[in-house]
Amino acid sequence: MYNQSSSGTKEIGYTLKSTSGNVAKQNVAKQTVVNISYTLQAADIEDDGSIKIYRGGSASSDARFYSFSVSGTRGPSISTQPVGASYVSGATINPLTVEATGTGTLTYQWYSCEDADKTNAAAIDGATSISYTPTAAGFYYVTVTDGNNVSVDSNVVEITVSAAAAPTINVSGAPDSNVKVGTEVTLTATVTGVPVPTLQWYSNTTASTTGSTAIAGATSETYAPSTDAVGTYYYYAVATNSEGEATSAVQTIVVKEQVATPAFTPNGAYFETSQEVTLACTTTGATIKYSTDNGATWTDYTTALNFSETTTVQAKATKDDYIDSEVATATFNKVTLDAWTNVTGAATWDWSKFGTKEIKLTDSTTPKKNDEFVLSNVVNYGYCSSISSEFGDAQALKVSGEYAVRDTKYFQGGFVKFHPTVAGKLSVTYSNTGGRTNEDDRRFLNVNGTDYGEGTMNTTAITTSDIYVPANNDVTIKGTLKGDGSDQYLRINKIEFTPLTETTVAVSDKLYRTFASKYPTTWGSISGLTAYKATVIGDNVTFEEVTGSVPAGEGLLLKATEAKTYTVPVSSTLPDAIENALEGVTKDTTVEGAGIFVLYADDTHPIGFYKTEATSFTVGANTAYLPASTSARTFIALDEETTGIDALLMNSEKVNSEVYNLNGQRVMNPAKGLYLVNGKKVVIK
């Protein structure tokens, strides 16, 4: 009983045993309960006697079981099938017998037919019991019917009747040549005769059937003799029936040790000019031979081989009373390797676009895992067929490490190198090689010996950018371990190199600012903008113009002629350090201590360096500050009355030399203002 649960009229029903094919179905209106009946067949019943019912019909998902019932019986079950047999002419044919169980009284009917498919089956008159004795050769089966008139057929069996014949026997399977110790050998006896002959295998110590020994249990058509020991062994078989006996020819099996297969060193390789190859065999006293023409000719090996062209070499070893070794083969490929190319402009290497093959190097490969090699040469070395142009210029990368490419998503190895002819900045996307819980296992991105970023503890990719690299120097990218600083693999997903020739700095209408660039910069030729470094001796501060290049992060005081954004050249080389009291920061930095001097001005405070009152102060990115002295001084002015800010700033009580005003007159007790001291302009506060 079924219920159609959806809208409209839909086809529902059920299937038996599986969901393939509908046994019973019909169109049913929405929310209508129907009875769908079906007469079970024997084929619908599982082997364990169960019946499985599945929803069916074109709208099977809308079919809902309301109730169902099953009636009937499975029918009789045959527990013992009749068995066919072969007989000699004139022999008595034994009865065919069946055993079955079922409901009610079972009845039997035997049939004869032309073949196993029951062609032209005919009921045998009077053959209605559990046994039937055939009167002639042919095919037979029985139908068993239970009290519910449900029937089942037995297997079809064949009765053959043949004229008596003496046995014949032929044994095959003995190898034509010597066999190696432990090799599996199977001897097979082909036997004829009526009645069916029995079979017995024999072994002997000579090639004779005299003085042999019957092998216990060896009575089947096949026999697998042992080959676990060196020696010569002899076997034969005897077939026997009531009509006579037949003996096979003696089979000889010679078992010998095999010479060990020679080993190449190296076992195949790639080379640029020539390759030396040695051969060795672990079997004492063996003679090694080699061939370079696919086995057409063989030459005794006496000394190391040397190849200057691509060559495939075969090698084997021989020894008296031994089986020749297997033939070993190795190929030595001459390759023309790609040269390392310079990076002359913007470049990107994206391992997600490398290709589809993982390239793992080991100590036995060429190149080896500790070699430094140009990445594009993995094609020449045969590790991949090609490298996608979308990856980037593989010829511009040198790599080292166990993996040239890992999972085709990232590089994992010792390092990546390239050589730019222009200065630039790097952006690197990378991760750890696995999930880490110990902080000492944090891995940093290291470029040319300097760690960058916060490091990585897992395989989630992160990106570190704005890493300056100079022109005409190798750039080495690798990983380092936080715990001991040792080199460690990173998973590098992507490297981007952007040429860098200039940066910018904005100056406000105060016309002064401090500056620290994340790149090395060059000064002295920027129209309207001058850079200064600072020198502090006690409470005395002088500012001196800077020309030439200064390192990245160097703190500078800038003086402009007008408020605007200026272009500052980026140095293409790494400058030497300079002596400078200004401390530069390239990111927001909190400075701890008893106050520092920072550049400041507003409507009531003239431009100058003011001492902070707090013991902790955050200095903004790309600016600079002066460390504080131990004195009570709180302000260092930058006064437009001066003709240059290289003037010395001092407290009046610190002046120990003769002081003159700007007219050259000596001043005994100078007040605050601009004076000359030792030939230098000084602002006394």
Side-chain angles (χ1 to χ4, degrees):
M1 187 174 292
Y2 267 73
N3 176 16
Q4 197 268 102
S5 62
S6 186
S7 61
T9 298
K10 294 187 176 181
E11 181 187 70
I12 63 172
Y14 56 86
T15 67
L16 302 177
K17 296 190 75 171
S18 73
T19 56
S20 60
N22 296 306
V23 172
K25 60 186 178 181
Q26 69 183 60
N27 292 324
V28 180
K30 177 184 178 183
Q31 302 298 332
T32 300
V33 177
V34 296
N35 285 313
I36 303 177
S37 299
Y38 171 73
T39 300
L40 288 171
Q41 306 297 317
D44 298 327
I45 304 173
E46 302 288 347
D47 292 338
D48 61 2
S50 65
I51 300 171
K52 295 180 180 178
I53 303 176
Y54 300 86
R55 291 185 295 179
S58 61
S60 60
S61 61
D62 295 320
R64 299 292 183 267
F65 284 119
Y66 185 73
S67 67
F68 66 90
S69 62
V70 178
S71 61
T73 180
R74 178 172 180 166
S77 175
I78 295 177
S79 57
T80 301
Q81 297 282 352
V83 178
S86 297
Y87 297 93
V88 177
S89 297
T92 301
I93 299 176
N94 294 325
L96 299 174
T97 300
V98 67
E99 292 184 8
T101 58
T103 303
T105 301
L106 302 182
T107 60
Y108 305 88
Q109 176 62 61
W110 289 89
Y111 290 82
S112 63
C113 53
E114 294 179 1
D115 53 34
D117 294 327
K118 303 178 184 177
T119 303
N120 293 326
I124 302 172
D125 290 341
T128 57
S129 66
I130 61 173
S131 297
Y132 169 69
T133 302
T135 59
F139 293 88
Y140 299 89
Y141 70 94
V142 63
T143 298
V144 183
T145 305
D146 66 9
N148 294 315
N149 202 31
V150 178
S151 299
V152 64
D153 289 346
S154 74
N155 297 338
V156 178
V157 297
E158 183 180 13
I159 298 297
T160 61
V161 178
S162 305
T168 66
I169 186 169
N170 179 62
V171 171
S172 62
D176 293 332
S177 58
N178 302 331
V179 298
K180 181 176 68 173
V181 171
T183 301
E184 183 177 323
V185 175
T186 300
L187 300 177
T188 301
T190 303
V191 179
T192 65
V194 179
V196 176
T198 60
L199 194 68
Q200 176 63 57
W201 290 92
Y202 292 82
S203 65
N204 208 345
T205 57
T206 63
S208 169
T209 58
T210 302
S212 59
T213 301
I215 302 170
T219 59
S220 66
E221 291 181 352
T222 60
Y223 174 65
S226 172
T227 58
D228 292 339
V230 172
T232 302
Y233 303 92
Y234 305 93
Y235 303 94
Y236 67 94
V238 176
T240 305
N241 69 5
S242 59
E243 302 302 310
E245 181 179 278
T247 301
S248 74
V250 175
Q251 306 294 300
T252 303
I253 299 176
V254 180
V255 181
K256 291 185 176 182
E257 294 282 1
Q258 185 175 32
V259 181
T261 304
F264 289 94
T265 302
N267 187 20
Y270 291 81
F271 62 89
E272 294 182 70
T273 54
S274 64
Q275 178 66 55
E276 183 177 274
V277 179
T278 60
L279 287 165
C281 178
T282 58
T283 301
T284 303
T287 298
I288 301 175
K289 299 176 181 290
Y290 70 92
S291 172
T292 57
D293 55 9
N294 197 30
T297 58
W298 293 90
T299 303
D300 286 352
Y301 170 80
T302 57
T303 188
L305 309 176
N306 201 287
F307 303 110
S308 57
E309 298 295 334
T310 295
T311 305
T312 296
V313 188
Q314 293 175 301
K316 65 180 180 181
T318 62
K319 184 178 180 180
D320 290 346
D321 267 342
Y322 278 66
I323 298 172
D324 290 354
S325 74
E326 301 290 340
V327 175
T329 303
T331 298
F332 303 91
N333 296 280
K334 183 176 183 179
V335 296
T336 301
L337 298 181
D338 294 335
W340 194 20
T341 57
N342 292 329
V343 175
T344 59
T348 298
W349 298 278
D350 186 347
W351 269 268
S352 70
K353 299 179 180 178
F354 182 89
T356 59
K357 185 171 182 179
E358 175 177 292
I359 301 172
K360 181 178 181 179
L361 309 174
T362 68
D363 286 335
S364 62
T365 61
T366 304
K368 296 177 176 60
K369 68 180 182 181
N370 294 320
D371 287 347
E372 177 179 314
F373 63 97
V374 176
L375 181 57
S376 64
N377 282 325
V378 296
V379 176
N380 306 73
Y381 286 127
Y383 289 108
C384 64
S385 58
S386 64
I387 298 175
S388 170
S389 60
E390 293 183 348
F391 161 75
D393 184 7
Q395 198 168 333
L397 290 187
K398 279 186 180 179
V399 299
S400 176
E402 183 177 7
Y403 293 94
V405 179
R406 186 74 187 271
D407 296 337
T408 69
K409 299 176 184 176
Y410 49 80
F411 166 83
Q412 181 174 312
F415 60 73
V416 176
K417 284 185 180 181
F418 66 95
H419 187 91
T421 58
V422 293
K425 59 181 180 179
L426 285 181
S427 174
V428 183
T429 301
Y430 59 98
S431 73
N432 206 308
T433 58
R436 315 296 177 187
T437 56
N438 188 333
E439 183 61 28
D440 283 346
D441 292 330
R442 183 178 293 275
R443 298 188 186 187
F444 291 99
L445 174 70
N446 184 284
V447 179
N448 289 347
T450 300
D451 291 341
Y452 290 90
E454 302 299 322
T456 168
M457 291 285 285
N458 53 50
T459 57
T460 300
I462 60 175
T463 300
T464 299
S465 302
D466 286 330
I467 302 172
Y468 172 82
V469 292
N472 299 311
N473 282 274
D474 290 354
V475 176
T476 300
I477 303 170
K478 62 183 181 180
T480 54
L481 190 66
K482 179 179 180 180
D484 59 11
S486 62
D487 290 351
Q488 295 290 335
Y489 285 179
L490 286 177
R491 291 180 177 178
I492 298 177
N493 303 88
K494 190 176 184 179
I495 300 173
E496 294 180 89
F497 172 75
T498 304
L500 190 64
T501 59
E502 59 187 33
T503 186
T504 59
V505 59
V507 181
S508 71
D509 56 5
K510 302 300 182 182
L511 302 183
Y512 286 96
R513 69 158 290 167
T514 58
F515 180 59
S517 173
K518 60 182 67 176
Y519 316 119
T521 48
T522 302
W523 302 89
S525 60
I526 305 171
S527 177
L529 187 65
T530 307
Y532 299 87
K533 65 179 182 176
T535 302
V536 176
I537 303 177
D539 284 341
N540 300 333
V541 181
T542 59
F543 293 91
E544 180 182 350
E545 182 179 354
V546 173
T547 58
S549 297
V550 298
E554 194 71 53
L556 299 172
L557 175 65
L558 303 184
K559 179 182 179 182
T561 57
E562 60 178 313
K564 69 174 188 177
T565 297
Y566 292 83
T567 298
V568 180
V570 171
S571 174
S572 63
T573 60
L574 289 173
D576 293 332
I578 63 174
E579 293 185 4
N580 182 19
L582 283 166
E583 298 284 350
V585 297
T586 57
K587 62 181 180 179
D588 290 350
T589 303
T590 299
V591 181
E592 307 289 345
I596 58 174
F597 284 97
V598 295
L599 190 66
Y600 179 76
D602 60 21
D603 292 341
T604 59
H605 295 80
I607 188 75
F609 283 92
Y610 290 82
K611 188 175 183 180
T612 62
E613 296 180 356
T615 58
S616 177
F617 187 85
T618 299
V619 182
N622 303 117
T623 63
Y625 66 93
L626 277 170
S629 66
T630 58
S631 73
R633 185 175 182 184
T634 61
F635 174 68
I636 302 172
L638 301 178
D639 198 330
E640 286 298 336
E641 296 175 0
T642 64
T643 57
I645 62 173
D646 57 340
L648 190 67
L649 303 177
M650 358 176 71
N651 289 331
S652 59
E653 64 268 21
K654 298 292 184 179
V655 178
N656 297 318
S657 301
E658 294 180 347
V659 179
Y660 296 87
N661 62 24
L662 296 182
N663 294 323
Q665 298 168 326
R666 185 176 180 182
V667 179
M668 300 303 297
N669 297 302
K672 294 181 179 180
L674 183 62
Y675 299 90
L676 296 174
V677 178
N678 293 331
K680 294 185 177 181
K681 295 176 183 177
V682 174
V683 177
I684 297 180
K685 299 297 181 182

